[in-house]
Amino acid sequence: SQKIEQNSEALNIQEGKTATLTCNYTNYSPAYLQWYRQDPGRGPVFLLLIRENEKEKRKERLKVTFDTTLKQSLFHITASQPADSATYLCALGRSDSSYKLIFGSGTRLLVRP
Amino acid sequence: GAVVSQHPSRVICKSGTSVKIECRSLDFQATTMFWYRQFPKQSLMLMATSNEGSKATYEQGVEKDKFLINHASLTLSTLTVTSAHPEDSSFYICSAEVMGYSNQPQHFGDGTRLSIL
């Protein structure tokens, strides 16, 4: 069955360091992958989308990579700030499935001041 | 732009009550909206895809008679949890996509915390 894995343990880093979050998937061939941020008691907020034919995408302090051979995406936050503390979700989608997304369970990031 | 409003944000009610949750796209039209359920520290699980003017498509294991979905206009979808029981307590979130675009992000509401006593 389709499976998306994100590290369930919280990632705890010092302010200013680079945070790297991992999303691995099996039994799936996504056309694109998205990363969302979710704060407690709130809905997810879209951050970045990367397509299967793209290796890397950047947006300000954020960078996403997508390796369809390894079936993995890495999400980086450079110069991290305490305000970056949240849960980050990856989601996979296929262009033939009416825009449906399959979400990972998320990784909680804690940035210490 | 692309704001999705979800109402109410929190509901506490007795077992057996039916609860309606509204999801509105405020500044765009959405032919497709999605309803998710999220338990603590778990992933968003897609419950159903709501299509304007037609019947919703439910995911495997989701009871369509329990979770009634109505998508009467391009900006409004409603989820009614009928005869709710404590096991239905969860965080329900809707999302919408901008009409006519594929491979675009979904825009999420801020969720409804449902607590059944």
Side-chain angles (χ1 to χ4, degrees):
Chain A
S1 61
Q2 301 163 355
K3 196 172 181 181
I4 302 173
E5 289 186 341
Q6 293 186 257
N7 196 337
S8 58
E9 291 185 13
L11 178 62
N12 197 322
I13 64 170
Q14 184 72 42
E15 180 177 10
K17 301 293 185 183
T18 295
T20 298
L21 307 177
T22 305
C23 177
N24 295 297
Y25 60 93
T26 56
N27 297 325
Y28 202 74
S29 297
Y32 56 94
L33 186 149
Q34 303 181 12
W35 282 89
Y36 289 81
R37 168 183 173 143
Q38 186 176 24
D39 291 287
R42 305 293 297 273
V45 174
F46 171 75
L47 296 175
L48 280 170
L49 179 153
I50 187 166
R51 294 181 172 79
E52 60 178 336
N53 60 349
E54 298 175 316
K55 294 294 185 185
E56 182 179 297
K57 208 75 164 292
R58 292 176 185 259
K59 180 183 176 182
E60 298 173 352
R61 295 186 295 113
L62 309 180
K63 184 178 83 171
V64 173
T65 63
F66 193 8
D67 190 325
T68 55
T69 301
L70 292 178
K71 296 186 183 294
Q72 179 182 78
S73 175
L74 299 179
F75 176 77
H76 306 271
I77 305 175
T78 58
S80 60
Q81 305 166 0
D84 296 326
S85 299
T87 295
Y88 292 86
L89 309 170
C90 71
L92 278 63
R94 288 200 304 231
S95 58
D96 63 345
S97 59
S98 302
Y99 320 142
K100 283 170 54 173
L101 292 176
I102 298 177
F103 281 84
S105 56
T107 297
R108 187 176 174 206
L109 172 65
L110 299 172
V111 182
R112 303 188 309 273
Chain B
V3 176
V4 173
S5 175
Q6 193 171 335
H7 179 79
S9 59
R10 187 176 184 93
V11 179
I12 302 173
C13 58
K14 294 180 180 180
S15 184
T17 306
S18 291
V19 178
K20 179 186 282 188
I21 303 170
E22 291 187 348
C23 180
R24 294 180 184 272
S25 56
L26 295 185
D27 50 359
F28 66 101
Q29 294 181 324
T31 52
T32 302
M33 292 185 174
F34 301 91
W35 286 97
Y36 296 85
R37 182 165 57 181
Q38 186 179 35
F39 292 105
K41 298 187 178 180
Q42 293 189 25
S43 175
L44 275 75
M45 297 302 296
L46 180 65
M47 299 174 65
T49 302
S50 171
N51 301 296
E52 186 267 335
S54 64
K55 291 183 179 180
T57 303
Y58 290 82
E59 295 299 300
Q60 191 173 8
V62 178
E63 299 175 57
K64 62 180 181 181
D65 296 330
K66 173 78 172 177
F67 299 99
L68 301 178
I69 292 173
N70 183 280
H71 195 154
S73 76
L74 286 171
T75 59
L76 174 64
S77 175
T78 60
L79 168 68
T80 301
V81 183
T82 62
S83 187
H85 293 285
E87 59 266 28
D88 299 321
S89 298
S90 187
F91 191 50
Y92 292 86
I93 312 175
C94 71
S95 72
E97 284 206 354
V98 177
M99 184 174 66
Y101 291 85
S102 63
N103 296 352
Q104 294 297 310
Q106 293 183 13
H107 304 282
F108 286 83
D110 262 341
T112 297
R113 175 74 58 191
L114 177 61
S115 300
I116 307 299
L117 306 177

